[in-house]
């Protein structure tokens, strides 16, 4: 069992070693340095471990392994430029680092103090001046609460978590506060669920607290269903203790001694880091019996999901933990009354939990000063698609979509034009240019026909066909519908068939009406959120991009040039008359003389794409 | 395609699974944990093993089959020695992941969810691998390949042939 004194001792001792990184110490001469390597999912995929090893070896070779520390940390956010490396206390950000580059960084930067400009992240060089990490555009509009430790601490070190005030909130709660006081803070903060629906967390906790029972449960929903997002994963991998601490706080508040984390089996790294973190917390007595010497005990177990999107839905998740097919329950009881094994249960999302210790530590006023009145605090987004700075960001609620996409995200690459931004994954919708100045919060995105969702944000450009995007999400929903309700099971299938017809150029005008009527039935006639929101990708694209549907149906044309069956190959003025395309066309439908522009007979063309592949000047295009 | 389960070759693993079941069968909701363990051990859930689990846990086979087929993580056929996961997450999709998947399927002559007869390769479509910065992405047994073009597929697969 750990005491608060011991906790503070660990904190002081570890902080001493972290000063360089926190830029509180300028380093002893040239040498006191800390090399931090991003170990987030993206950089991990591009050999972050290998880079760490190479740094260590080279530094050892130089005999500097006493002065220079090397460690891996959670996601830095700028996945686009990975693998990323930061050098502290200088605050220098190196991007796209390869093993071959490491010698140069060690020799020049670490040994001689000469920054290797060639390898700097391009955003940190402006007018010949080198900016620190914290000053680059990508970071300076962000505000980190849920990700406060990601990219700073070593994710496998409980001591480093403790050094940055970890487990202080839990100590305060169990030793100084009553259950009602904890709930009052969470309620007053107006923290809303980050899993998508935005339900007030404090209210949920209060309901479970007030209900008397001999056993209650706390569940962390780490099933991360949105197919194009990785926020929760990054928190679990980069700062697992923040979730454990918050779950214990929730356990204290509602009177539960058992927590479960339902995490996707497809996230083996997150699973491993959680296992390590739970073992560390138990060893220190921060989980287990009589935490901080009080009579509060709390344990956490992992339960692995098995790849079913619907299990992100609270009651389906409980069915799954109970060992059955994950099909949502009919909502006769609230889960706060009868949830897991028919006992009062609260379920919160990973990011929601990650906010809790910070709120307890810094107070309600601090939290409410960030974000908007409707939605205080911040939101983490996984920014992807046709955007320059793909990555993980956390912004105060109320910033506009435009700021996210153009200031933080750096806009659309390759000089293309922005078309829409998709939020909320399969339950969300597409938002067009004219609404880009909408502030991001739960209310405003809902009014646009999309939802905040769990944080997937995919940017689409002029090359993306909106009908096909709707088709993509419906394809997903059909696959994932659990099959309990007819409107969801059959309706989504029919919608998908219609969308497939339209993208193949076989759609009829009635199809558009049919989509609208199906959307209404599915939305109103489904039991769970999956069915109730399944039509959103279709209704939102119909609302803002109806002309694209109509072009497919009436003109058999895909304005974005994306639907294969509707495309025609065309040779532009860039043709130099090399005859290569004509020689390679399997149906000989290209004619033209040497050194003259060639022409494709679109009647005969079978759209194999060979001509496009072989053309040396890129003169063959699809339109 | 039929894949025969070899009891003899798997004797040790079967023993291991039995121990796991013994340790866990009194826990509430143990079935899914047992199926995870079995899938980790054998690489899939042979019907023979499902029958064994049914007897040990006293759960009807129909229920086990129902659970095993509900969750996409569980497979009823063996996976290949090299498991190819093509990310069909949204970020990868808008960057052309479908063409990558088509190319992988065409090159190996099998579709998503299938295994080549020599049990060398199997293909699955995954959701976001957290590497959207590298989209489109595919993963082979933990090795991630990013910023792919359909033309890169052949060369990557050749490394494993
Ligand atoms: C089909 C479906 C999938 C969901 N998937 C997730 C998910 O992956 N992660 C999550 O936290 N919430 C998910 N939710 C929302 C949960 O039902 C629930 O609202 C949430 O976990 C509550 O936590 P919060 O209040 O902290 O957001 C999903 C809901 C539905 C209907
Ligand atoms: S709405 Fe769909 S996913 Fe939800 S319970 Fe009904 S059939 Fe299942
Ligand atoms: S797409 Fe194929 S068939 Fe059509 S013109 Fe080009 S090479 Fe010929
Ligand atoms: S969508 Fe493919 S890695 Fe994220």
């Amino acid at each position: 069992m750990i005491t608060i004194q011991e906790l503070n001792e660990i904190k002081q001792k570890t902080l001493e070693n972290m000063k360089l990184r926190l830029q509180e110490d300028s380093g002893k001469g040239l040498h006191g340095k800390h090399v931090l390597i991003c170990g987030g999912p993206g950089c991990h995929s591009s050999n972050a471990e290998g880079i760490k090893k190479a740094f260590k070896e080279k530094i050892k070779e130089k005999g500097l392994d006493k002065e220079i520390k090397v460690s891996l940390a959670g996601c830095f956010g700028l996945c686009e430029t990975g693998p990323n490396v930061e050098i502290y206390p200088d605050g220098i950000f190196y991007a796209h680092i390869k093993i071959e580059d490491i010698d140069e960084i060690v020799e020049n930067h670490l040994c001689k103090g000469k920054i290797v400009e060639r390898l700097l992240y391009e955003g940190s060089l402006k007018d010949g001046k080198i900016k620190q990490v914290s000053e680059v555009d990508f970071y300076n509009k962000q505000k980190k609460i849920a990700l406060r430790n990601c990219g700073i601490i070593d994710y496998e070190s409980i001591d480093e978590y403790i050094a940055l005030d970890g487990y202080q909130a839990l100590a305060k709660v169990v030793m100084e506060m009553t259950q009602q006081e904890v709930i009052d803070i969470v309620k007053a903060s107006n923290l809303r669920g980050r899993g998508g629906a935005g339900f007030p967390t404090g209210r949920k906790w209060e309901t479970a607290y007030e209900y008397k029972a001999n056993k209650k449960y706390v569940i962390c929903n780490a099933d991360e269903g949105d197919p194009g997002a990785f926020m929760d994963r990054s928190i679990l991998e980069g700062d697992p203790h923040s979730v454990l601490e918050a779950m214990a706080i929730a356990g204290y508040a509602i009177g539960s001694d058992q927590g479960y984390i339902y995490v996707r089996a497809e996230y083996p790294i997150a699973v491993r880091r959680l296992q390590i973190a739970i073992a560390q917390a138990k060893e220190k007595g921060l989980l287990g019996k009589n935490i901080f010497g009080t009579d509060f005990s709390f344990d956490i177990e992992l339960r692995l999901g098995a790849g079913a999107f619907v299990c992100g839905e609270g009651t389906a998740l409980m069915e799954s933990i109970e060992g059955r097919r994950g099909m949502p329950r009919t909502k006769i009881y609230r889960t706060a009354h009868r949830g897991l094994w028919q006992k009062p249960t609260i379920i919160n999302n990973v990011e929601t939990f990650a906010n809790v210790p910070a709120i307890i530590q810094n107070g309600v006023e601090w939290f409410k000063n960030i974000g908007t009145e409707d939605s205080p605090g911040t939101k983490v987004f996984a920014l992807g698609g046709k955007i320059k700075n793909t990555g993980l960001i956390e912004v105060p609620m109320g910033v506009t979509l435009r700021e996210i996409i153009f200031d933080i995200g750096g806009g659309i690459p390759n000089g293309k034009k922005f078309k829409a931004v998709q939020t909320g994954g399969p339950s969300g919708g597409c938002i067009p240019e004219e609404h880009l100045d909408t502030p991001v919060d739960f209310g405003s995105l809902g009014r646009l026909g999309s939802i905040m969702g769990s944080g997937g944000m995919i940017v689409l450009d002029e090359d993306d066909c909106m009908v096909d995007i709707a088709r993509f999400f419906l394809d997903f929903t059909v696959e994932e519908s659990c099959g309990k309700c007819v409107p969801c099971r059959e309706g989504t299938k029919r919608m998908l068939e219609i969308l497939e017809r339209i993208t193949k150029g076989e759609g009829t005008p009635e199809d558009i009406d049919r989509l609208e009527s199906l959307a209404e039935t599915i939305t109103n006639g489904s039991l769970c959120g999956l069915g109730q929101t399944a039509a959103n990708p279709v209704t939102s694209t119909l609302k803002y991009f109806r002309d694209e549907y109509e072009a497919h149906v009436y003109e058999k044309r895909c304005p974005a040039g994306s639907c294969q069956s509707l495309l025609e190959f065309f040779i532009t003025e860039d043709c130099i008359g090399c005859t290569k395309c004509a020689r390679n066309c399997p149906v000989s439908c290209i004619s033209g003389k040497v050194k003259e522009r060639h022409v494709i007979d679109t009647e005969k063309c079978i759209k194999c794409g060979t001509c496009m592949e072989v053309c040396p000047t890129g003169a063959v295009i699809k339109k | 395609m039929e894949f025969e389960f070899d009891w003899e070759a798997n004797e040790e693993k079967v023993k291991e699974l039995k121990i796991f079941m013994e340790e866990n069968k009194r826990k509430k909701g143990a079935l899914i944990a047992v199926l995870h363990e079995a899938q980790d051990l054998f690489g899939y859930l042979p019907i023979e093993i499902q029958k064994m689990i049914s007897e040990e846990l006293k759960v009807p086979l129909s229920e086990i089959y129902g659970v095993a087929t509900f969750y996409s993580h569980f497979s009823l056929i063996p996976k290949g020695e090299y498991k190819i996961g093509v990310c069909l997450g949204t970020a990868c999709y808008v960057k052309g992941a479908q063409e990558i998947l088509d190319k992988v399927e065409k090159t190996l002559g099998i579709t998503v969810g299938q295994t080549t007869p020599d049990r060398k390769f199997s293909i699955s479509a995954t959701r976001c691998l957290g590497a959207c910065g590298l989209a489109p992405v595919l993963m082979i047994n933990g090795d991630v390949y990013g910023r792919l073009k359909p033309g890169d597929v052949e060369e990557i697969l050749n490394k494993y042939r």
Side-chain angles (χ1 to χ4, degrees), chain A residues 227-230 458, chain B residues 87-93 126-137:
Chain A
F230 58 99
I458 307 288
Chain B
C87 178
L88 276 195
T90 323
C92 285
Y93 182 77
T126 72
R127 302 193 224 148
C128 184
L129 298 169
C132 313
L134 304 171
V137 173

Side-chain angles (χ1 to χ4, degrees), chain A residues 581-600:
Chain A
C581 58
R583 277 182 281 128
N584 281 288
C585 175
V587 292
S588 308
C589 68
I590 306 180
S591 55
K593 295 206 181 88
V594 185
K595 295 205 177 142
E596 278 176 25
R597 183 168 162 192
H598 282 48
V599 186
I600 297 175

Side-chain angles (χ1 to χ4, degrees), chain A residues 193-197 199 204 221 223-225 232 309-310 312-314 347-349 352 528-530:
Chain A
R194 304 301 198 237
F199 191 83
K204 200 186 277 187
N221 188 342
D223 198 41
E224 191 134 77
D232 293 347
F309 172 61
V310 69
E313 198 273 347
I347 175 164
N348 276 117
N349 163 264
T352 315
C528 87
L530 191 150

Side-chain angles (χ1 to χ4, degrees), chain B residues 75-88:
Chain B
S75 170
L76 299 185
I77 60 165
K79 298 270 179 185
E81 180 186 348
Y82 298 108
K83 296 168 203 57
I84 305 172
V86 181
C87 178
L88 276 195

Side-chain angles (χ1 to χ4, degrees), chain A residues 41-42 45 80 217 225 227-230 233 265 303-309 311 320-326 341 385-386 390 458 460 464 468-469 471-473 476, chain B residues 27-33 36 63 65-67 69-74 87-91 93-95 98-99 126-134 143-144 147:
Chain A
S45 308
E80 182 71 32
Y217 296 103
F230 58 99
R233 168 175 179 179
R303 285 301 166 104
L304 299 197
F309 172 61
C311 287
S320 180
I321 291 185
E322 292 179 18
R324 286 189 292 273
R325 290 164 73 101
W341 286 301
K386 308 292 178 60
T390 304
I458 307 288
L460 307 170
D464 292 306
D468 186 57
I469 292 295
R471 189 206 57 76
F472 167 78
F473 283 115
F476 178 83
Chain B
K27 280 195 192 152
K28 288 199 266 186
L31 177 59
I32 292 183
H36 270 298
E63 196 176 320
Y65 187 79
V67 170
T69 49
F70 184 84
Y71 296 98
S72 63
H73 183 73
F74 298 130
C87 178
L88 276 195
T90 323
Y93 182 77
V94 301
K95 292 209 170 166
Q98 187 66 49
E99 281 125 70
T126 72
R127 302 193 224 148
C128 184
L129 298 169
C132 313
L134 304 171
D143 296 338
V144 175
R147 300 204 171 96

